Amino acid sequence: MAAEPVWSVDPRTGKPREQVAVEATTEDVDRSVRAAHAVRETLADRSVRAAFLRTAADLLDGAREQIVETADAETALGAVRLTGELARTTAQLRAFAEVVEEGSFLDIRIDLPDPGAIPPRPDMRRWKIPLGVVAVYAASNFPLAFSVPGGDTASALAAGCPVVIKAHPDHPATSELCASLLRRAAAKAGLPEDVVVLVHGFDAGVQLVRHPLVAAAGFTGSVRGGRALFDAAAARPVPIPFHGELGSLNPVVLTSAATEERAEEIGAGLAGSMTLGAGQFCTKPGFVLAPSGEAGDRFLDALALGVSETGPAVLLDRRMRDAFVAGVTERTALDGVRAPVTPGAGDAHTVSAGVLAVDAALLTEGDRHHLLLEECFGPVTVVARYDSRDEITQVLSRLPGNLTATLHVATDADEDADAAPLLAELTPLAGRVLVNGWPTGVAVAPAQHHGGPYPATTSTSTSVGATAIERWLRPFTYQSTPDHLLPPELRDGNPLGLPRR
Amino acid sequence: MAAEPVWSVDPRTGKPREQVAVEATTEDVDRSVRAAHAVRETLADRSVRAAFLRTAADLLDGAREQIVETADAETALGAVRLTGELARTTAQLRAFAEVVEEGSFLDIRIDLPDPGAIPPRPDMRRWKIPLGVVAVYAASNFPLAFSVPGGDTASALAAGCPVVIKAHPDHPATSELCASLLRRAAAKAGLPEDVVVLVHGFDAGVQLVRHPLVAAAGFTGSVRGGRALFDAAAARPVPIPFHGELGSLNPVVLTSAATEERAEEIGAGLAGSMTLGAGQFCTKPGFVLAPSGEAGDRFLDALALGVSETGPAVLLDRRMRDAFVAGVTERTALDGVRAPVTPGAGDAHTVSAGVLAVDAALLTEGDRHHLLLEECFGPVTVVARYDSRDEITQVLSRLPGNLTATLHVATDADEDADAAPLLAELTPLAGRVLVNGWPTGVAVAPAQHHGGPYPATTSTSTSVGATAIERWLRPFTYQSTPDHLLPPELRDGNPLGLPRR
């Protein structure tokens, strides 16, 4: 069988730009994983790993113009956004270099022997070791920060795990470019290039998660694709951890007091957040509980005004555009759904943003409107108008897990009696709650948590921030092991000066 | 349909002692989970949780005589062992009370806002919150420390999760007794008794892992049972974490130098370790690589002598006795397998310990001898005689994951050239490696890790030690949340004086 070509496509025109690669065959996938596995020990030295991550950041920054141009041509995300995303990506690589050097991620715990204890306590030294080859499934919507040089790759390499990356078909040229830079950085740091391997193709992705030498996987994408890979990971003879970020509705609740206080401001803010990046952020607020009545009307008017002022948007690819048009059409057709701004197709290659509205009461019973409680990727949000506190509770109890949940309360929150109980109701639904803010724009910071109850993530981990490294490690204890046989990190006298307990 | 009775059985005679309970129906399981779920918020207060765990330890210690007598009558493990196990169990409950109070398990990270940063950094405060109801599947071989009042229960309650425990059928009376003491402790601490609920029955166990309100599960038991439950947990509409400890061969490697130096001492030590508790420890050394030749013969003679001197043993139940007899018979019948001490049936209710030996070369190709590389629960170990270092490597490459791996090297390890490379080869195979020791006897200490690559565990976690609490928590971040809406643990000024980053 001839190898399937992999084309780079311009979403602004739908036209193929160039053939970038061919899809990996079963043999290619096997060869890729074995190549990465064969060089895993070369990542054992933490200072080499840190140098590699910094060199990768430097090479990516050095190729900024070419990367941004290539990524924009494939994703239509625009040079400004992509320049910012590249800066975030290289900052993330450098941050993980620091994490590797600082060493507290090793979670070293030393118990000196106590022969007098009952029973006698042996010498035990625990740290964390890398799992092995990590399969990384790149996302479409962040062609850099959640793709080839993104958080999964950076954290896995930081942990000492080689990566085999399954490129996203929406930006294969960007993927090839970034992978070649990462491999060049490896060589410059004295490592084999095969600590980073790139493969293309849907089937290759499925084979990857089933490969016996793949030890863990990271994924960012749809519920459907992610769940299929999660199931394959769990069904292996030896199951492996699958850290997937699948989908999130990101509910927003407006209290009556907040809406009375600043309906217009909230409406305008939401319009900006839900249309940011053409509504293709994983934290896009896709569902809003707003009060019925006059203040709620003013909020909805402001939201509609803001959304109607956004121009047509190019989504990441044709399939997403078609899925958006189909998704909003199906939702708009539901009994009782109004469209203050009708979302749908723009010209042949664009979509127009929209707002749907419905009475919350319709969502509290039966399954006829369940679609409104599912993520619709792209620039649309659903506003459910509630008549009572009890309706909010009932609707929230029907929501799936989310990355974020947002609560708008009166500025003087002390005065808003709904604030505390609603915050408590939102907590089980999300990994991050925000008060009087917007969930898009995920700060890279130590207290960040980018994860949440299923389907937001398939594990209790985060894919953003320093603790993302924990996903690719396992604890390991040396008992009664002579000092010279221990890794230097665990030896007497702490020769490397690492944090220990 | 009449409820199925649950009998307590004396393994020394095979006779039923008393009917203890009835098996839970589907409705019973649903009611149990809902009851536990309904009271989950009562565990939010850490000081109440700590008091509860200490009260539970006190009540268990206070009922020592009755607990040991009941457990011995059901398990034949003997009063000395069970008294020690109870002390370990109550020490573990008290240790978790300290963990709860100390608070570093909350992993609090605070990022103060930085409006000058690009992009501006919001106020973010992260900690860990409990997952919800935890299903605990009790083990047979530790009727206290890995059963109703054991590590899974203690760590889940410490995390703030109510537990629904599926009793092991080998000690239902002990389970009922311990559960009633835990429930009484809850009441004494001002908590609803339903923070701990006990159910009996195989079907109940399956229903439990599928219940929508069960948020995570902990399991200690067989590969077959554990894998079935793992699969059910992964196949749920909303998958849940399943922390299972399934089985472990616990390989031992003797270098030539170690065997030359102290063949008799190692043989006698191994005989003690593999027959401890009738070979029913999860860390029993079940497979040994020993050199061929004279020194290896002396080791095997010493091992055989030690094992032949142990009397007949009562296993935990009839099914295990029959499985042991069948397992050793099947292994002994394999081509090329010798039996320096023949394991098998004792009288109608006992088994006799044994040692099998085989040339390592037979294990390096084909699958005919794969059974020798699988755990056989009970007092038997397999000694594979190697002719070369290369044979060791080949056999190790065929082993499944383990809780432990043990290496015996020359006392002056500097002089033993095999020590470092063999330690490196054992590392990927286990969660804990020991040098010149024995793996039975798992110290409860901060650096302990009781877990390992599959099938030793189904996750990268530990079921022993303080970090076991991490299994029942997930990170959660508050962004831009007014101080009075935050839990006291995260408020400005750190009013509770907790460790924070």
Side-chain angles (χ1 to χ4, degrees), chain B residues 43 130 134 136 151-163 468-469 471-472:
Chain B
L43 288 170
V134 170
V136 171
D152 284 346
T153 298
S155 57
L157 291 171
C161 298
V163 292
I469 196 173
R471 302 176 295 167
W472 321 120

Side-chain angles (χ1 to χ4, degrees), chain A residues 111 227 236 432 447 479, chain B residues 111 227 236 430 432 447 479:
Chain A
D111 292 327
R227 183 61 193 253
R236 293 163 49 114
R432 175 167 58 113
Q479 181 172 328
Chain B
D111 292 328
R227 182 63 194 252
R236 292 164 49 114
R432 174 167 59 113
Q479 181 172 328

Side-chain angles (χ1 to χ4, degrees), chain B residues 99-374:
Chain B
V99 166
V100 171
E101 283 173 341
E102 190 269 338
S104 65
F105 77 99
L106 297 170
D107 197 20
I108 297 175
R109 291 156 198 253
I110 310 247
D111 292 328
L112 295 179
D114 181 358
I118 300 171
R121 196 161 78 171
D123 182 302
M124 288 196 296
R125 296 166 190 237
R126 175 176 142 150
W127 70 337
K128 291 195 174 176
I129 62 175
L131 289 176
V133 176
V134 170
V136 171
Y137 294 85
S140 62
N141 57 346
F142 283 84
L144 304 169
F146 288 83
S147 186
V148 173
D152 284 346
T153 298
S155 57
L157 291 171
C161 298
V163 292
V164 179
I165 308 167
K166 191 266 180 188
H168 196 281
D170 279 359
H171 51 270
T174 310
S175 300
E176 283 287 338
L177 176 56
C178 291
S180 73
L181 292 166
L182 290 175
R183 287 169 63 91
R184 199 188 308 162
K188 282 185 102 165
L191 291 167
E193 292 191 332
D194 285 342
V195 294
V196 175
V197 183
L198 184 70
V199 296
H200 298 266
F202 178 86
D203 292 344
V206 177
Q207 286 151 10
L208 195 52
V209 81
R210 291 188 178 143
H211 196 288
L213 292 178
V214 167
F219 173 94
T220 311
S222 71
V223 174
R224 193 170 155 186
R227 182 63 194 252
L229 291 169
F230 171 87
D231 289 344
R236 292 164 49 114
V238 174
I240 56 171
F242 184 87
H243 298 287
E245 184 202 318
L246 310 193
S248 184
L249 192 61
N250 303 303
V252 178
V253 179
L254 316 182
T255 67
S256 296
T259 316
E260 293 287 348
E261 182 183 275
R262 52 181 204 285
E264 290 77 8
E265 181 190 328
I266 296 172
L270 177 60
S273 180
M274 61 153 278
T275 56
L276 197 68
Q280 299 172 113
F281 279 65
C282 33
T283 53
K284 179 202 78 175
F287 183 79
V288 187
L289 279 156
S292 57
E294 183 272 338
D297 289 345
R298 282 191 285 123
F299 153 74
L300 193 54
D301 289 345
L303 170 64
L305 180 66
V307 171
S308 64
E309 282 173 349
T310 56
V314 178
L315 296 193
L316 290 157
D317 68 21
R318 179 82 208 180
R319 196 175 47 80
M320 288 185 198
R321 179 192 169 278
D322 294 348
F324 176 78
V325 173
V328 296
T329 304
E330 199 179 351
R331 284 165 174 80
T332 310
L334 289 172
D335 172 40
V337 171
R338 304 175 292 280
V341 186
T342 305
D347 66 26
H349 301 292
T350 62
V351 300
S352 55
V355 176
L356 303 180
V358 66
D359 292 342
L362 287 176
L363 305 177
T364 58
E365 47 192 38
D367 266 350
R368 284 187 308 131
H369 291 79
H370 77 274
L371 203 58
L372 299 176
L373 306 181
E374 285 179 21

Side-chain angles (χ1 to χ4, degrees), chain A residues 150-434:
Chain A
D152 284 346
T153 298
S155 57
L157 292 171
C161 298
V163 292
V164 179
I165 308 168
K166 192 268 181 187
H168 197 280
D170 279 359
H171 50 270
T174 311
S175 300
E176 283 287 337
L177 176 56
C178 292
S180 73
L181 292 166
L182 290 176
R183 287 169 63 91
R184 199 188 308 160
K188 282 185 101 166
L191 290 168
E193 293 190 332
D194 285 341
V195 295
V196 175
V197 184
L198 185 69
V199 296
H200 297 267
F202 179 86
D203 292 344
V206 177
Q207 287 151 11
L208 197 51
V209 81
R210 291 186 179 145
H211 196 289
L213 292 178
V214 167
F219 173 95
T220 311
S222 70
V223 174
R224 194 170 153 186
R227 183 61 193 253
L229 292 169
F230 170 89
D231 288 344
R236 293 163 49 114
V238 173
I240 56 171
F242 185 87
H243 299 286
E245 183 201 318
L246 310 194
S248 184
L249 192 60
N250 303 302
V252 177
V253 179
L254 315 182
T255 66
S256 296
T259 316
E260 293 286 350
E261 181 183 275
R262 51 183 206 285
E264 291 77 9
E265 180 191 329
I266 296 173
L270 176 60
S273 179
M274 61 153 278
T275 57
L276 197 68
Q280 299 172 112
F281 279 64
C282 33
T283 52
K284 179 203 77 174
F287 184 79
V288 186
L289 279 156
S292 58
E294 184 272 339
D297 290 346
R298 283 191 285 124
F299 152 74
L300 193 54
D301 289 346
L303 170 64
L305 180 67
V307 170
S308 65
E309 283 174 347
T310 57
V314 178
L315 296 194
L316 290 158
D317 68 22
R318 179 81 207 179
R319 196 176 45 81
M320 287 185 199
R321 179 194 169 277
D322 294 348
F324 176 78
V325 173
V328 295
T329 305
E330 199 178 351
R331 284 165 174 80
T332 309
L334 289 172
D335 173 39
V337 171
R338 304 174 292 280
V341 186
T342 305
D347 66 24
H349 301 293
T350 60
V351 300
S352 55
V355 176
L356 303 180
V358 66
D359 292 342
L362 286 175
L363 305 176
T364 57
E365 49 193 36
D367 266 348
R368 284 185 311 130
H369 291 80
H370 77 274
L371 203 57
L372 299 176
L373 306 181
E374 285 178 19
E375 183 182 7
C376 183
F377 194 79
V380 66
T381 200
V382 174
V383 179
R385 308 289 299 270
Y386 65 82
D387 282 323
S388 66
R389 260 295 274 110
D390 187 50
E391 257 180 24
I392 302 180
T393 300
Q394 284 185 58
V395 173
L396 291 182
S397 74
R398 306 188 123 215
L399 292 188
N402 296 276
L403 293 167
T404 71
T406 301
L407 179 62
H408 279 267
V409 300
T411 307
D412 187 351
D414 279 333
E415 305 281 296
D416 194 335
D418 293 329
L422 282 172
L423 195 62
E425 285 178 47
L426 289 174
T427 300
L429 288 178
R432 175 167 58 113
V433 290
L434 305 88

Side-chain angles (χ1 to χ4, degrees), chain A residues 3-170:
Chain A
E4 289 289 328
V6 174
W7 289 90
S8 172
V9 175
D10 179 349
R12 293 186 176 96
T13 63
K15 295 227 168 67
R17 296 175 58 246
E18 56 171 331
Q19 183 185 334
V20 170
V22 294
E23 294 194 352
T25 63
T26 307
E27 294 70 36
D28 293 336
V29 172
D30 182 58
R31 200 177 316 118
S32 300
V33 174
R34 287 184 190 283
H37 187 257
V39 301
R40 68 197 184 284
E41 290 298 334
T42 64
L43 289 170
D45 186 311
R46 288 183 303 114
S47 58
V48 174
R49 253 143 71 194
F52 167 35
L53 293 168
R54 286 204 182 91
T55 307
D58 291 345
L59 293 184
L60 289 160
D61 279 338
R64 181 185 302 119
E65 214 167 305
Q66 192 190 356
I67 292 171
V68 169
E69 190 185 312
T70 308
D72 181 52
E74 293 186 310
T75 66
L77 286 171
V80 173
R81 144 75 192 270
L82 289 164
T83 302
E85 187 180 327
L86 180 59
R88 178 203 175 102
T89 304
T90 56
Q92 185 165 250
L93 286 161
R94 292 189 182 97
F96 274 116
E98 273 177 52
V99 166
V100 170
E101 284 173 342
E102 190 268 340
S104 65
F105 78 99
L106 297 169
D107 197 19
I108 297 175
R109 291 156 198 252
I110 310 244
D111 292 327
L112 295 179
D114 182 357
I118 300 170
R121 195 162 78 171
D123 181 302
M124 288 196 296
R125 295 165 193 239
R126 175 176 142 148
W127 70 336
K128 290 194 175 178
I129 62 174
L131 288 176
V133 176
V134 170
V136 172
Y137 294 84
S140 62
N141 57 345
F142 283 84
L144 304 169
F146 289 83
S147 186
V148 173
D152 284 346
T153 298
S155 57
L157 292 171
C161 298
V163 292
V164 179
I165 308 168
K166 192 268 181 187
H168 197 280
D170 279 359

